[in-house]
Amino acid sequence: MKMQSNFLCALTLFMTASFGMLQAQEEKVTTEFGVKGGFNMSNLYQSEADDNNVIYGFNAGVYATLPISDFIAIQPEILYTTKGAELDYNNAFVDGNAKFKLNYIEVPLLVRVNITKNFNVHAGGYASYLVSSKVTGDGDINFDEAVDTDDLNKFDAGIAAGVGVDFNPISVGLRYNYGLTTVGKERTIAGTTYTFPDAKNSNLTLYLSYKLN
C-alpha cells in the first residue's frame, strides 16, 4: 500500500475519533510557544511513495503559534528529525537487512486553521539541513558505517500537511511530509551522469506537543 494511502486512511480515522471531543470555537487564538516530539515512519521514494521499506525514528524540537486572526495562525517549528529507509535482502549468498539513516535539522513553516477550539488542520512547507548519516546492517553481515554528508544533498525541502487535536496544554497530531528534492547528488563519471541515491524523503509523523505559556 502506498504511503499516501496510509496517510489518508490514518487521517480519516484520526478525524473521526477526534470529532467526538471537539467544541465550538469560542476563544481567540493566542500566541503560543511549546515543545514537541513524535514518532516517525520514513521511507525513500522515486516515482511514488510506498511503505515497503519503512524505517522508524523520531523527531523533537520547539514550535510557536503566531495568530493572524481568530481562526488562522502561522506555525514555525525547529525540529531534529530522523529519516531514511530499510532494505531487506535474501539471496543465495547473504541474508539480512540494511538501514540508511538520515538525520536533519528541519524547519517547517505552516499555516494553521483552527476549525474549532480543539481541532486544527495545517499545511505548508519545510526545509531541512542534513547533519549526519550512516548505514547499518544486521544479518549474515553486520556493519555500522558513517556516510560522508558531502556525498549527499545536504538540503532537503518539501510540502507538509496534517491535523491536530488540542487538550490544553497538550496537543496530539498526525502529519505527512512529502520531499521534493533528491537525497543524492548528481555526479558525472566517465561521461555518465547519475544521481545516487536517486530518491526523495517521505515521512509520516504522530506527534505530541506541550504548550509552555
Side-chain angles (χ1 to χ4, degrees):
M1 183 182 295
K2 298 177 182 178
M3 199 83 157
Q4 298 100 319
S5 298
N6 280 355
F7 175 67
L8 290 175
C9 291
L11 180 60
T12 301
L13 291 173
F14 191 83
M15 292 178 68
T16 301
S18 299
F19 270 117
M21 299 177 265
L22 304 182
Q23 303 173 13
Q25 179 82 22
E26 296 175 352
E27 298 179 3
K28 291 185 177 181
V29 178
T30 59
T31 300
E32 181 179 317
F33 301 95
V35 295
K36 63 179 302 184
F39 171 74
N40 288 350
M41 294 177 59
S42 303
N43 198 2
L44 297 175
Y45 76 94
Q46 291 181 317
S47 59
E48 58 185 27
D50 58 47
D51 60 2
N52 292 332
N53 304 107
V54 167
I55 190 172
Y56 301 101
F58 71 95
N59 66 84
V62 296
Y63 74 94
T65 302
L66 312 174
I68 58 178
S69 76
D70 289 353
F71 303 98
I72 300 175
I74 302 298
Q75 182 166 307
E77 302 175 359
I78 302 176
L79 306 171
Y80 179 86
T81 187
T82 64
K83 299 182 181 181
E86 181 174 359
L87 173 66
D88 292 319
Y89 54 89
N90 185 0
N91 54 50
F93 303 100
V94 291
D95 178 25
N97 68 77
K99 296 179 180 179
F100 183 47
K101 300 179 179 180
L102 303 166
N103 303 316
Y104 292 92
I105 298 296
E106 185 166 285
V107 182
L109 184 60
L110 308 165
V111 176
R112 168 173 163 159
V113 180
N114 298 293
I115 306 299
T116 72
K117 177 183 176 181
N118 302 91
F119 182 75
N120 72 81
V121 297
H122 50 268
Y126 73 87
S128 301
Y129 181 79
L130 181 65
V131 293
S132 64
S133 59
K134 69 176 182 177
V135 59
T136 63
D138 294 306
D140 293 337
I141 301 176
N142 296 319
F143 51 90
D144 188 339
E145 300 290 338
V147 176
D148 190 343
T149 57
D150 289 336
D151 294 333
L152 302 171
N153 191 347
K154 290 188 178 181
F155 292 95
D156 181 38
I159 55 178
V163 295
V165 180
D166 304 316
F167 302 102
N168 195 16
I170 294 174
S171 300
V172 295
L174 189 70
R175 183 183 301 168
Y176 181 62
N177 285 5
Y178 189 79
L180 299 177
T181 61
T182 56
V183 171
K185 284 183 177 179
E186 187 176 273
R187 304 171 182 275
T188 301
I189 298 179
T192 301
T193 300
Y194 71 97
T195 301
F196 182 80
D198 187 12
K200 302 171 184 178
N201 283 306
S202 173
N203 185 48
L204 178 65
T205 295
L206 177 65
Y207 67 84
L208 177 73
S209 64
Y210 183 82
K211 184 171 68 171
L212 295 176
N213 62 324

